[in-house]
Amino acid sequence: MTEFRWLSYSNEDFKSCLEIRKKVFCEEQNIKEETEFDSLDEKAAHLLMLEDDVPVGTGRVTKTNSRVLHFGHIAILKEARNKGLGKKLLEEMIKRTKETCVNKITINAQK
């Protein structure tokens, strides 16, 4: 069963988001930790995705300005890929942002 939790930087479960990002971006893609983890984490909304109570994915939403949101740091653990979970994660992020008064959503992607 898929579960989503919206978290702030100070939430205890936020550590799971950091662990997923570290595995996917730092260990798999060789991105430096000082590049992956930045001061925007403190201001962002973080989405933690769980499958059967196990953390498998995360994404971050930051405000670019009052009418624009940015989706970033989206990651699914290797063992959970190719199951449609990335799509579910993005759908949840979009659902949440539809509740706000934004005109635009931006997103960065990489191979």
Side-chain angles (χ1 to χ4, degrees):
M1 183 172 129
T2 304
E3 178 188 348
F4 295 103
R5 294 182 191 161
W6 283 99
L7 310 169
S8 67
Y9 179 79
S10 61
N11 189 293
E12 177 89 16
D13 287 338
F14 176 65
K15 291 176 188 174
S16 294
C17 296
L18 295 177
E19 290 170 8
I20 292 168
R21 286 168 49 187
K22 183 176 180 178
K23 284 181 186 175
V24 172
F25 297 118
C26 302
E27 295 172 14
E28 289 179 31
Q29 299 179 14
N30 297 314
I31 294 173
K32 294 179 182 177
E33 285 189 35
E34 51 271 13
T35 302
E36 175 56 28
F37 306 110
D38 58 32
S39 61
L40 290 177
D41 279 331
E42 296 177 32
K43 302 170 189 165
H46 302 271
L47 181 58
L48 178 63
M49 177 187 222
L50 301 102
E51 278 293 307
D52 300 319
D53 296 319
V54 177
V56 295
T58 188
R60 179 174 91 171
V61 179
T62 53
K63 228 178 204 186
T64 303
N65 65 47
S66 63
R67 306 294 273 170
V68 179
L69 293 177
H70 179 75
F71 291 177
H73 300 267
I74 298 167
I76 302 292
L77 291 176
K78 193 173 198 171
E79 58 271 18
R81 293 182 197 150
N82 299 312
K83 298 176 183 177
L85 297 180
K87 179 181 177 184
K88 283 184 179 181
L89 184 78
L90 276 172
E91 287 172 345
E92 180 67 20
M93 293 172 81
I94 291 166
K95 179 180 156 190
R96 169 79 178 256
T97 58
K98 282 184 178 179
E99 299 167 4
T100 65
C101 296
V102 297
N103 291 339
K104 183 178 177 180
I105 297 169
T106 61
I107 187 170
N108 289 347
Q110 60 196 46
K111 292 181 182 180

